[in-house]
Amino acid sequence: MSITVVGSVALDTVETPAGKNTEGLGGAAVYFSLAAQHFAPVHLVGVIGEDFPDQHVRMLGAKNINLAGLERAPGRTFRWTGRYHEDVNERDTLDTQLNVFEHFHPKVPEAARKAPFLFLGNIHPSLQMEVLEQTSHRFVALDTMNLWINITPNDLRDVLKRVDAVVLNDQEARLLTGEVNLRDAAHKIRGMGPHIIAIKKGEHGGMLFCEADDEIFAIPALPLKKVVDPTGAGDTFAGGFMGYLATQEKTDFMTLKRGVVYGSVMASYTCEAFGPDKLIDLTADQIQQRYLEFKKLMEF
Ligand code: AMP
């Protein structure tokens, strides 16, 4: 089954203790698509400027990614600059240039409208709503960020009513609900609409909360020898998670747990290089091998 994703396509400048990558390929929709396309066909909906390198478009188009919804608009591509601390769980955003993203209104092409799975990447909730209204879907997941929780809470609540799952980090879950305890936060989010809540905790892995109160799953992050650049790990997680779900007939607790493991597998690869490089040529064997590493790590 195919997946439609809407979100940023970016040129990222990133500094980490391992070095610096200037104007590399990035954006939430790119990380998501490159992870998910290992599992299922992806329709990418987003916008790039006139300066976006053709080589990136060619690379994405050569994958299992349909680019009919990737619009090239007059102006410059969205740019994001970030610097990570020695402890790479912490980062500062140094610069965000919306550029062509500022006047973006997603136009979902015919084939992408019918995809059974939809991922609403971290964009203004009113744009997420525009996409929801253009599509018919079986399963919808959403990501958001502090900015939208703070400045557009009502728009965000309207979208939340219409989604099945949210993928948030722990700080966002706390900010959205005012609850410190993540179990309480998940409970409150469930009251807002979504029945599946995946909470990412960076180096500390993630948690999954499902419909029943005792349907809770926790996963560590793979202890990597070297974290080069964690940018996009969250979007990659979402891509692996949704990608796996799109290969399955049901979304019961066991399937969702496996989805969380595949999401974590893909996120671990993203962290090993700058940008989404590691995701590009990953093989099915490498994905499976790391899935088994997770299995071993979690056995006792
Ligand atoms: P993550 O590390 O999962 O937070 O994702 C980082 C990616 O999100 C980078 O590739 C950025 O280009 C993109 N990004 C950063 N800020 C924004 C924003 N305000 N809106 C959309 N995408 C963003």
Side-chain angles (χ1 to χ4, degrees):
M1 285 181 280
S2 61
I3 309 169
T4 292
V5 53
V6 59
S8 56
V9 177
L11 294 174
D12 286 346
T13 297
V14 178
E15 215 177 308
T16 77
K20 188 171 178 182
N21 189 29
T22 304
E23 303 221 324
L25 174 63
V30 168
Y31 283 102
F32 180 96
S33 300
L34 283 170
Q37 59 90 32
H38 286 281
F39 300 85
V42 175
H43 301 271
L44 193 165
V45 178
V47 63
I48 51 176
E50 292 155 318
D51 57 351
F52 190 76
D54 282 334
Q55 79 199 62
H56 296 329
V57 179
R58 280 198 297 275
M59 182 279 291
L60 293 167
K63 301 286 168 195
N64 199 8
I65 305 173
N66 185 317
L67 298 179
L70 181 65
E71 179 188 330
R72 200 185 273 271
R76 277 159 62 81
T77 300
F78 173 78
R79 278 168 170 76
W80 177 80
T81 303
R83 187 191 292 139
Y84 287 81
H85 297 198
E86 205 56 47
D87 169 1
V88 287
N89 290 302
E90 289 193 46
R91 77 175 180 205
D92 301 315
T93 291
L94 303 182
D95 189 30
T96 303
Q97 295 174 22
L98 289 178
N99 298 331
V100 290
F101 218 43
E102 195 171 353
H103 302 291
F104 174 56
H105 286 279
K107 290 182 255 333
V108 185
E110 192 55 34
R113 288 172 188 237
K114 297 193 193 107
F117 287 76
L118 172 65
F119 183 68
L120 301 168
N122 164 32
I123 52 176
H124 193 298
S126 69
L127 297 184
Q128 293 178 322
M129 188 62 100
E130 284 181 24
V131 173
L132 263 179
E133 280 172 358
Q134 293 175 56
T135 51
S136 60
H137 34 259
R138 217 173 82 177
F139 187 94
V140 189
L142 165 149
D143 183 15
T144 192
M145 70 188 290
N146 294 4
L147 178 71
W148 310 126
I149 298 171
N150 283 325
I151 70 169
T152 56
N154 295 336
D155 290 337
L156 182 58
R157 283 191 178 242
D158 287 343
V159 194
L160 279 171
K161 283 183 197 141
R162 295 178 54 177
V163 308
D164 300 281
V166 283
V167 181
L168 297 172
N169 69 36
D170 45 354
Q171 291 161 346
E172 290 157 355
R174 290 183 173 117
L175 184 66
L176 179 63
T177 60
E179 296 290 344
V180 178
N181 180 299
L182 291 181
R183 196 170 175 166
D184 291 340
H187 185 76
K188 264 203 179 166
I189 296 173
R190 216 177 289 130
M192 298 175 189
H195 50 98
I196 297 161
I197 296 114
I199 300 184
K200 306 161 289 177
K201 300 195 294 169
E203 187 191 30
H204 306 295
M207 294 186 84
L208 174 74
F209 297 88
C210 295
E211 236 145 332
D213 251 356
D214 62 346
E215 286 181 339
I216 302 178
F217 179 60
I219 185 167
L222 202 66
L224 296 171
K225 287 207 176 105
K226 188 166 184 185
V227 173
V228 174
D229 172 18
T231 307
D235 306 304
T236 308
F237 169 87
F241 176 64
M242 292 275 279
Y244 176 72
L245 296 187
T247 66
Q248 302 296 303
E249 293 303 322
K250 48 187 181 186
T251 49
D252 62 336
F253 187 41
M254 184 49 83
T255 309
L256 291 164
K257 286 200 268 190
R258 291 200 186 103
V260 166
V261 180
Y262 278 109
S264 305
V265 164
M266 303 310 277
S268 74
Y269 277 117
T270 286
C271 294
E272 289 184 328
F274 277 106
D277 282 9
K278 274 269 184 154
L279 294 174
I280 296 171
D281 296 317
L282 214 54
T283 64
D285 274 355
Q286 286 172 306
I287 295 171
Q288 210 47 34
Q289 188 192 318
R290 208 156 261 194
Y291 182 85
L292 296 175
E293 269 179 63
F294 265 100
K295 207 164 178 195
K296 202 167 149 212
L297 184 70
M298 295 171 76
E299 236 165 38
F300 67 91

